[in-house]
Amino acid sequence: MTSGPVTGTRPLRVVLGVGGGIAAYKAAELLRRFSEAGHDVTVVPTRAALHFVGAATWSALSGKPVSAEVWDDVADVPHVRLGQQADLVVVAPATADLLARAASGLADDLLANVLLTARCPVVMAPAMHTEMWQHAATRANVATLRSRGVVVLDPAVGRLTGADSGPGRLPEPAAIFEACREILAGQSADLLGRTVVVSAGGTREHLDPVRFLGNRSSGKQGYALAATAAARGASVVLVSANVALPDPAGATLVRVTSAEDLRQAVHAAAAGADVVVMAAAVADFRPVSVQGHKIKKDDAGGVPAPIALERTADVLAEVVARRDAAHSAQVVVGFAAETGDAGGSVLDHGRAKLARKRCDLLVVNEVGDGRGFETDDNEVVVLGADGTSTTVPRGSKAAIADAVWDRVAALLPSTAARHR
Ligand code: CTP
């Protein structure tokens, strides 16, 4: 997580809009992150939000007067000035009502006025019950806002108020902050209107109900790819295999366990997608048979029976084959964790794999000696099918992800070409 300024050196004017949902209290954590990064934050709650967290709390935390109304401090014209002067407007939580008011251009409270007068990036982090999020009215409002350039993050999936659970949870404040950082870093919206699929984590092949063959992939790089793509405006499906990380803001999560689960989820999401990035470590072999009961020591007279393995499908190669069969311009990206050996260097193996898998880009990283797995930093070379090679120096997984998206964005057909 980046703890420095959101971007650049100058403190930014941030308007933090707070909608009237139970997640309003989480906006306090977002406020803290922006303030600690040195930015000037004005909190603009809706009237409904003040039922959940009072003006005194926002005022004390931000060090500024707080109002939901256009009639306070009129001489200073805050209903116009706040939006005009903002470098960023971030709304968390954005309720169904607030999304509807923003989409219709209403100006019935101070926050709605700010949204109409802002000419800076606007990020909305929705939170509501699943039924409300999935309602056709909300879907249409979100589509309208996105078509106007507003970054509407997808809500996280999980526990909601009461016993409910499903899509509708406010993304973690850290994830919202990171999305804002990415947007302000000037890379916003170059993936707007694109659909991307990212696989992340490591698959597990069960031997019995308690044991599996797995691998060390933490999913950090794949999650960073999903978060940065969402922050750059893409609609993201994240196929996540056994990852213990917070849901990244703005991605639709599909959880899988085995290589076969992942294969089906990736193919379902990849049909019609602009980009598929296979960052997951997918098992190459699985046990021929899975025992329905826990294998006991005594089953084979105290000696474990040899485990017979069979090959799994190569998902990346299948995605490329389907793309080619459909004559689509989909960009397909593979990952390769390599070590050099007597047969060749890390890059020799990478180039051979790129040719074998026939993807457009292969992100190669050297593993071993504490590199690559379970770390926060990474260092990669992005090989292109066109013979190009881009070295991305050691940096955070978010920085590596952005460098990968820069290469992908350059390969995408222009939006105009897609509509011809
Ligand atoms: N991959 C896949 N399906 C598999 C295995 C790998 O889609 N069954 C994808 C990975 O997600 C990655 C790329 O293929 O994007 C390369 O994975 P890697 O394990 O390095 O390649 P392998 O084909 O397994 O090559 P090898 O084991 O020979 O190095």
Side-chain angles (χ1 to χ4, degrees):
M1 179 64 232
T2 310
S3 57
V6 171
T7 189
T9 49
R10 153 179 98 85
L12 301 175
R13 290 201 187 101
V14 178
V15 173
L16 171 59
V18 184
I22 188 69
Y25 74 94
K26 292 190 183 170
E29 162 73 5
L30 193 56
L31 167 57
R32 187 185 64 76
R33 284 180 182 268
F34 278 108
S35 302
E36 283 183 359
H39 302 299
D40 174 79
V41 188
T42 304
V43 182
V44 182
T46 63
R47 279 169 221 125
L50 294 174
H51 287 294
F52 292 95
V53 180
T57 301
W58 298 122
S59 200
L61 290 175
S62 67
K64 288 177 187 230
V66 165
S67 169
E69 307 296 340
V70 289
W71 306 113
D72 293 332
D73 199 17
V74 173
D76 200 29
V77 209
H79 73 290
V80 176
R81 185 184 51 77
L82 278 175
Q84 281 176 338
Q85 294 181 349
D87 297 301
L88 171 74
V89 177
V90 51
V91 182
T95 58
D97 176 72
L98 193 46
L99 291 171
R101 288 195 289 128
S104 336
L106 293 186
D108 52 353
D109 67 1
L110 185 56
L111 181 54
N113 278 269
V114 168
L115 291 169
L116 279 177
T117 49
R119 294 294 174 267
C120 58
V122 176
V123 180
M124 302 186 87
M128 64 196 74
H129 276 273
T130 304
E131 292 83 353
M132 291 185 177
W133 173 247
Q134 291 174 344
H135 194 283
T138 306
R139 306 309 303 158
N141 291 331
V142 169
T144 300
L145 290 166
R146 284 180 175 160
S147 73
R148 292 182 192 142
V150 175
V151 178
V152 183
L153 303 174
D154 278 331
V157 178
R159 262 310 281 283
L160 304 171
T161 325
D164 291 0
S165 124
R169 234 174 110 82
L170 186 73
E172 287 306 313
I176 301 172
F177 182 80
E178 183 64 14
C180 294
R181 192 189 67 79
E182 291 290 339
I183 286 159
L184 288 169
Q187 295 144 332
S188 64
D190 63 345
L191 297 176
L192 196 67
R194 311 289 188 175
T195 306
V196 312
V197 181
V198 177
S199 71
T203 59
R204 292 179 181 176
E205 309 305 320
H206 273 277
L207 295 164
D208 70 15
V210 294
R211 301 185 181 91
F212 56 81
L213 301 176
N215 61 68
R216 286 174 54 194
S217 177
S218 65
K220 284 182 180 170
Q221 186 62 72
Y223 271 47
L225 280 155
T228 48
R232 291 168 75 148
S235 177
V236 183
V237 177
L238 174 60
V239 179
S240 169
N242 312 299
V243 176
L245 293 172
D247 297 353
T252 300
L253 206 66
V254 181
R255 290 187 201 281
V256 296
T257 304
S258 68
E260 183 56 26
D261 298 343
L262 180 136
R263 176 189 185 210
Q264 290 178 19
V266 167
H267 286 318
D274 296 294
V275 188
V276 179
V277 180
M278 285 294 300
V282 187
D284 291 320
F285 308 101
R286 69 173 154 242
V288 172
S289 61
V290 182
Q291 301 304 316
H293 62 276
K294 185 180 169 193
I295 303 166
K296 303 298 261 182
K297 281 194 285 296
D298 292 345
D299 282 357
V303 183
I307 299 165
L309 299 175
E310 63 185 7
R311 288 285 295 271
T312 57
D314 186 328
V315 183
L316 178 61
E318 285 184 350
V319 168
V320 171
R322 287 181 186 211
R323 185 266 316 264
D324 292 349
H327 303 290
S328 118
Q330 186 176 68
V331 176
V332 182
V333 184
F335 268 69
E338 301 285 349
T339 61
D341 58 25
S345 68
V346 168
L347 284 186
D348 292 338
H349 288 305
R351 286 203 186 87
K353 191 166 286 183
L354 177 66
R356 208 166 56 238
K357 304 257 183 180
R358 296 179 36 258
C359 46
D360 301 290
L361 297 172
L362 189 76
V363 183
V364 183
N365 73 318
E366 188 174 358
V367 290
D369 291 341
R371 278 185 292 243
F373 289 117
E374 294 155 12
T375 57
D376 288 321
D377 279 10
N378 210 352
E379 184 180 353
V380 302
V381 178
V382 185
L383 299 178
D386 54 4
T388 52
S389 160
T390 311
T391 302
V392 187
R394 175 161 292 279
S396 68
K397 289 191 170 175
I400 301 283
D402 266 325
V404 172
W405 290 123
D406 289 346
R407 291 293 317 269
V408 169
L411 292 178
L412 285 167
S414 72
T415 313
R418 282 192 305 157
H419 292 305
R420 275 204 289 271

